[in-house]
């Protein structure tokens, strides 16, 4: 895709033509839609059109997106400050926003190592351009799909030490694997490669917090080539079975260790932080 075509749509594109090969500005993409909900500008007209359809169904979506982003910040802070984790594997990175993982982790421990993984060329191009850490740590990038965990693990080993605990972050990405058994196996493959004392931080859209809204969203998203599924609390619980859940356990994003004075009204995202025993 030509950079001038992107610029005409109002997106500031990094100067990385090779990374942007295959980018299609005419098909809505969940990462760019999420960016729109967070108030970002890295999205196309087709993304904004679908986002507006979704907002017509549920105008609280930006609040939900912010709650999800706030959970990411709190979970990474916990992992770095309280659990002593110094290595992070973030799969399904999304477009850069405020308080990115390396910023949160390296504020606590500058030596922290972070590997960002995403299958969207736009995300990777922006990540390479914008996500730079402190000299004491490592910030690396890998273009890969969650459905290929072996590739992720193999290439992440260039930056991460798999003999030491690693936090695997799966925030808003497992929902893009529609088949439950496949999603479960992918998570198991990742966790099996991690040493004892590693953590999983998981966030997944909920089917049973606002069921009517979930069904309407499925209909609104039918035009997107990327299929996402809403799952129940029981289904998400199976993803973290056998792990030691950090208090308060499996709850909605707004209920997981909320900041003082923050709104803890349940939002339709199940989250958990769990340790590999």
């Amino acid at each position: 895709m030509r950079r001038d075509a992107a610029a005409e749509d109002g997106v500031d594109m990094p100067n990385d033509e090779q990374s942007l090969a295959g980018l299609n500005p005419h098909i809505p993409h969940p990462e760019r839609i999420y960016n729109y909900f967070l108030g970002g500008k890295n999205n196309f007209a087709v993304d904004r059109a679908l986002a507006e359809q979704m907002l017509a169904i549920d105008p609280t979506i930006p609040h939900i997106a912010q709650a999800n982003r706030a959970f990411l910040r709190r979970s990474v802070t916990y992992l770095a400050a309280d659990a002593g984790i110094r290595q992070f594997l973030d799969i399904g990175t999304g477009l850069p926003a405020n308080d990115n993982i390396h910023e949160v982790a390296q504020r606590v421990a500058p030596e922290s190592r972070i590997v960002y993984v995403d299958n969207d060329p736009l995300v990777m191009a922006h990540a390479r351009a914008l996500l730079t850490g402190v000299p004491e740590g490592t910030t690396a990038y890998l273009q890969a799909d969650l459905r290929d965990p072996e590739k992720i693990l193999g290439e992440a080993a260039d930056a991460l030490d798999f003999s030491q605990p690693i936090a695997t972050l799966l925030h808003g990405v497992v929902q893009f694997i529609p088949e439950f058994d496949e999603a479960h196996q992918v998570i198991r493959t990742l966790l099996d490669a991690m040493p004892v004392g590693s953590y999983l931080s998981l966030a997944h859209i909920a089917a049973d917090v606002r069921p009517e809204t979930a069904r309407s969203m499925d209909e609104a998203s039918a035009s997107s080539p990327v299929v996402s599924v809403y799952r129940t609390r029981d289904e998400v619980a199976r993803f973290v079975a056998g792990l030691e859940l950090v208090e308060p356990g499996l709850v909605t994003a707004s209920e997981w260790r909320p900041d003082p004075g923050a709104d803890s009204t349940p939002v339709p995202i199940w989250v958990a932080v769990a340790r590999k025993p």
Side-chain angles (χ1 to χ4, degrees):
M1 176 190 155
R2 303 194 322 272
R3 291 183 68 251
D4 56 346
E8 288 169 3
D9 202 30
V11 180
D12 292 333
M13 304 297 287
N15 187 17
D16 192 342
E17 298 288 353
Q18 185 175 2
S19 295
L20 295 174
L23 177 64
N24 191 335
H26 307 296
I27 298 176
H29 194 283
E31 298 286 11
R32 301 193 302 261
I33 294 171
Y34 184 61
N35 174 263
Y36 180 74
F37 289 144
L38 288 173
K41 63 177 182 177
N42 297 314
N43 44 73
F44 296 111
V46 67
D47 306 308
R48 296 189 287 273
L50 180 53
E52 289 297 332
Q53 290 181 45
M54 298 170 76
L55 286 170
I57 297 169
D58 185 354
T60 70
I61 292 176
H63 169 71
I64 296 169
Q66 292 289 350
N68 186 50
R69 191 75 190 176
F71 163 70
L72 183 150
R73 172 183 51 78
R74 296 195 306 275
S75 69
V76 173
T77 299
Y78 167 81
L79 290 165
D82 298 331
I85 296 296
R86 298 294 179 262
Q87 303 188 103
F88 298 83
L89 179 61
D90 177 41
I91 305 176
T93 296
L95 289 158
N98 293 328
D99 267 347
N100 298 289
I101 289 164
H102 71 284
E103 295 170 321
V104 177
Q106 290 175 351
R107 272 202 301 268
V108 175
E111 71 274 20
S112 295
R113 302 178 180 184
I114 295 87
V115 174
Y116 288 112
V117 183
D118 206 288
N119 66 353
D120 184 352
L122 178 62
V123 169
M124 285 293 95
H126 275 278
R128 292 186 182 97
L130 301 175
L131 301 183
T132 56
V134 298
E136 299 93 328
T138 298
T139 307
Y141 319 94
L142 169 60
Q143 187 167 337
D145 194 293
L146 176 60
R147 292 180 178 84
D148 193 356
E150 290 84 2
K151 176 183 178 180
I152 293 172
L153 293 166
E155 298 191 24
D158 291 340
L160 303 179
D161 179 0
F162 278 76
S163 70
Q164 298 298 316
I166 297 170
T168 299
L169 312 179
L170 298 175
H171 291 187
V173 64
V174 178
Q175 62 213 39
F176 298 117
I177 303 180
E179 294 297 328
F180 180 88
D181 289 343
E182 181 185 4
H184 187 268
Q185 183 56 50
V186 164
I187 294 173
R188 289 298 119 186
T189 299
L190 292 168
L191 290 175
D192 287 347
M194 303 296 167
V196 170
S198 294
Y199 283 79
L200 172 66
S201 181
L202 177 69
H204 196 299
I205 52 175
D208 47 353
V209 176
R210 299 180 189 170
E212 293 297 328
T213 299
R215 285 193 288 270
S216 297
M217 289 299 178
D218 280 340
E219 295 175 4
S221 301
S223 63
S224 174
V226 182
V227 177
S228 63
V229 296
Y230 292 67
R231 291 188 168 105
T232 66
R233 186 181 187 281
D234 287 345
E235 288 174 313
V236 176
R238 291 172 62 187
F239 290 143
V240 295
L243 303 177
E244 298 172 348
L245 288 173
V246 174
E247 290 294 334
L250 178 56
V251 295
T252 70
S254 53
E255 296 174 297
W256 198 90
R257 302 191 174 207
D259 295 323
D263 182 3
S264 60
T265 304
V267 296
I269 302 174
W270 293 119
V271 304
V273 176
R275 181 181 180 275
K276 180 177 178 178

